[in-house]
Amino acid sequence: MPETMSLERRRVLAAFGATLVLTPGAKACPGRSAAPNPPRQPSPIAIFCLSNSRTKRIRASTSKRPGPKFGTTPTAQSTCWYPAWAQRHHHGGLSLHQEDKGKAITSVAVEPTASPVLTQTRAGRPLQPGKHKIQGIGAGFVPDTLDLSIVDRVELATDEESIETARRLASEEGILSGISSGAATAVALRLAKLNEFAGKTIVVVLPDSGERYISTALFEGIG
């Protein structure tokens, strides 16, 4: 895993018996190819959800469970925001489910300003991933399981606004969430001020708890 991952993430994996091999943080997930060969069990199984074809086949069916709950309010349109990486599977599944139900929906993906690979891909530019502090999104590449054709717009979030918004979620709403959840909420708050989204229902999924980021910039200067 990238060396930039929090100590909490590393220690949880180690507690489950994993042997951790840290790779260059600046290369994000693609940097895993630079890792030395770790000790392996006799019959190793490589599990990488971002290229697992089964993920595509089941994402819509599993997302039907929370899916029907969205868009049940009297408003005309449900506009959903999800961190592009942390919720890549539910992003596709929920978006497809709502469209199948005939509901008007604007699907928005969120990625770090410092590593805008989705924006670069949509613009037909070479990918130039960068280092950032929003763990859980901005992995430095576009995964096979992310269908950009159902993403209506891609919005950027800075490290600073993501951390600030995650802290606001804790202090103002009592929700201790991760940095990527702060990024998604920051974008939702920003776009909610636009006239085109006036009167719409905005759904933001916060998939990550803040406990695993105590050693990161999210908690820096607190306590």
Side-chain angles (χ1 to χ4, degrees), residues 49-89:
C49 64
L50 303 185
S51 58
N52 190 337
S53 60
R54 292 183 179 181
T55 301
K56 292 183 178 181
R57 294 199 297 268
I58 69 172
R59 67 183 180 187
S61 61
T62 56
S63 293
K64 286 181 180 179
R65 286 175 239 170
K69 299 177 183 178
F70 296 152
T72 56
T73 58
T75 52
Q77 176 175 336
S78 176
T79 304
C80 300
W81 277 263
Y82 306 100
W85 305 112
Q87 284 291 91
R88 69 195 68 83
H89 313 316

